[in-house]
């Protein structure tokens, strides 16, 4: 499958999605969001793919936000529909994938760009990365989950300050806040993320998928995370991966898991 706004490459179990609109600093227009949905779905359904990386083309930007030129003329209903559709197609979709998704934040991650990185399961930044939710400077608020996920990741007070000031934080500050897990030089960013992916791939994809779902359950209203954990824990005992993992341990060999 070919895309107009992104590249999808799979190598040794890692699918890398590269958003490719360099002249617009990889801003997310409607077509890019639809293509990202398809690319994530393809990668998730591919039995060869054990980890998904998402990054931006070039050395300047991960994603500089939602494409402002597309929504500048929207009315109230169109604004609400933009947020609802985007959340459904991309941001909630990514967060709830069973295949682990790592954001390799290679530069500006602003507005929808930071929201996309935050919807991923965790983030690694390059030293030049700059992150922020500048929406209030445009007279709107974050609409792709930013008001919810930023406080979950950095705490309410820091999220309030970042959103109210519309300012950017650098990679070091993002690391200090816990918004990103690691900061590395830009030319080693993908290699570093692939190294983490290799460690993830040694483990049971079924168990990892369940762990993602249960961790997310704890952040959902009206869902009891502990009860979800008990149910998913029990379900693991009925899987081939559990048989393989425990048998391999007792036989003192490495487990072989397939997706
Ligand atoms: N939507 C649409 N186009 C965008 C964009 C966005 N979010 N972010 C950048 N672009 C476009 C610019 O309009 C420009 O296009 P042009 O060359 O056709 O005029 C191109 O990308 C390069 O951006 P430019 O602003 O010239 O680069 P810069 O180095 O001077 O500044 C930023 C970089 C990231 C600080 C600046 O582009 C910016 O503030 N972007 C908007 C960030 C934002 O508010 N995002 C939240 C949206 S909800």
């Amino acid at each position: 499958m070919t895309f107009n706004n992104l590249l999808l490459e799979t190598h040794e179990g890692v699918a890398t999605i590269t958003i490719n609109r360099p002249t617009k600093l990889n801003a997310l227009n409607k077509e890019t969001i639809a293509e990202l949905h398809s690319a994530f779905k393809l990668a998730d359904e591919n039995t060869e793919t054990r980890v998904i990386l998402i990054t931006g083309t070039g050395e300047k930007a991960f994603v500089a936000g939602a494409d402002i030129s597309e929504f500048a003329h929207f009315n109230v209903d169109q604004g609400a529909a933009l947020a609802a559709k985007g959340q459904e197609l991309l941001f909630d979709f990514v967060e709830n994938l069973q295949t682990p998704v790592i954001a390799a934040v290679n530069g500006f991650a602003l507005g929808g760009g930071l929201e996309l990185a935050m919807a991923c399961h965790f983030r690694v930044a390059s030293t030049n990365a700059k992150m922020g939710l500048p929406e209030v400077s445009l007279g709107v608020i974050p609409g792709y989950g930013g008001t919810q996920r930023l406080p979950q990741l950095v705490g309410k007070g820091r999220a309030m300050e970042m959103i109210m000031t519309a300012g950017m934080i650098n990679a070091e500050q993002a690391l200090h806040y816990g918004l990103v897990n690691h900061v590395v030089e830009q030319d080693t960013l993908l290699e570093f993320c692939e190294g983490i992916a290799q460690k993830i791939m040694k483990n049971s994809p079924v168990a990892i998928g369940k762990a993602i779902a249960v961790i997310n359950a704890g952040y959902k209203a009206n869902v009891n995370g502990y009860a979800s954990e008990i149910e998913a824990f029990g379900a693991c005992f009925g899987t081939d991966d559990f048989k393989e993992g425990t048998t391999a341990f007792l036989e003192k060999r490495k487990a072989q898991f397939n997706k």
Side-chain angles (χ1 to χ4, degrees), residues 21-25 27-28 60 64-69 71 108 110-112 115 133-135 137-138 140 168:
R21 293 186 80 209
T23 60
K24 296 293 173 195
L25 301 185
L28 299 176
K60 191 167 170 182
D67 193 318
I68 299 166
S69 65
F71 64 74
F108 287 115
L110 302 175
E115 289 173 302
L133 293 180
E135 284 86 348
S137 71
L138 299 166
V140 287
M168 295 184 208

Side-chain angles (χ1 to χ4, degrees), residues 244-254:
E244 168 62 9
T246 49
T247 306
F249 178 81
L250 295 172
E251 289 176 356
K252 300 191 187 305
R253 61 173 174 85
K254 283 203 171 117

Side-chain angles (χ1 to χ4, degrees), residues 1 17 68 93 101 104 111 133 159 162 193 206-207 220 227 237 254:
M1 191 165 183
I17 299 172
I68 299 166
F93 185 74
V101 184
L133 293 180
M162 281 180 70
C193 292
V206 176
K220 288 183 178 147
F237 287 67
K254 283 203 171 117

